[in-house]
């Protein structure tokens, strides 16, 4: 758990940089959501992804990450709504 906490803090710092590179910014948030999910908090991971999607609703990277998240959680109804 300690390593996940450290990874989450490091990724949050990267996310907070507000990089001018949108792809990198999204990638950091996707990685952050994965770390949060590994820490057994799938709801918070989903909210992290949803925040990014609100900022970039047409981005394929974030939409794929959300679909993959729902698939890992076994939430087929959410996948259907998302798609």
């Amino acid at each position: 758990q300690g390593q996940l906490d450290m990874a989450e803090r490091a990724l949050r710092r990267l996310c907070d940089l507000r990089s001018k590179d949108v792809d990198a910014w999204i990638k950091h948030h996707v990685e952050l959501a994965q770390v949060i999910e590994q820490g057994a908090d799938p709801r918070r991971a989903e909210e992290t992804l949803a925040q990014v999607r609100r900022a970039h609703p047409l981005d394929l990277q974030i939409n794929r990450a959300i679909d993959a998240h729902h698939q890992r959680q076994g939430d087929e109804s959410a996948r259907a709504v998302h798609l």
Side-chain angles (χ1 to χ4, degrees):
Q1 184 66 30
Q3 288 182 335
L4 287 175
D5 290 339
M6 286 177 28
E8 182 178 346
R9 281 193 303 273
L11 284 165
R12 284 197 182 282
R13 283 194 298 269
L14 284 172
C15 292
D16 289 343
L17 291 176
R18 296 284 183 190
S19 173
K20 292 180 183 176
D21 181 351
V22 173
D23 288 334
W25 184 80
I26 291 171
K27 179 179 177 260
H28 294 318
H29 279 83
V30 169
E31 291 170 349
L32 173 61
Q34 290 170 343
V35 167
I36 293 169
E37 185 178 349
Q38 288 174 9
D41 197 347
R43 269 224 164 119
R44 196 162 56 100
E46 184 177 9
E47 180 54 35
T48 298
L49 296 170
Q51 289 173 357
V52 176
R53 187 174 64 191
R54 283 192 291 275
H56 300 282
L58 301 179
D59 186 87
L60 290 177
Q61 182 180 196
I62 189 59
N63 285 298
R64 285 182 184 137
I66 291 170
D67 182 59
H69 171 77
H70 290 310
Q71 186 174 17
R72 284 189 303 275
Q73 296 303 311
D75 193 348
E76 293 301 316
S77 62
R79 285 185 77 202
V81 169
H82 171 69
L83 296 177

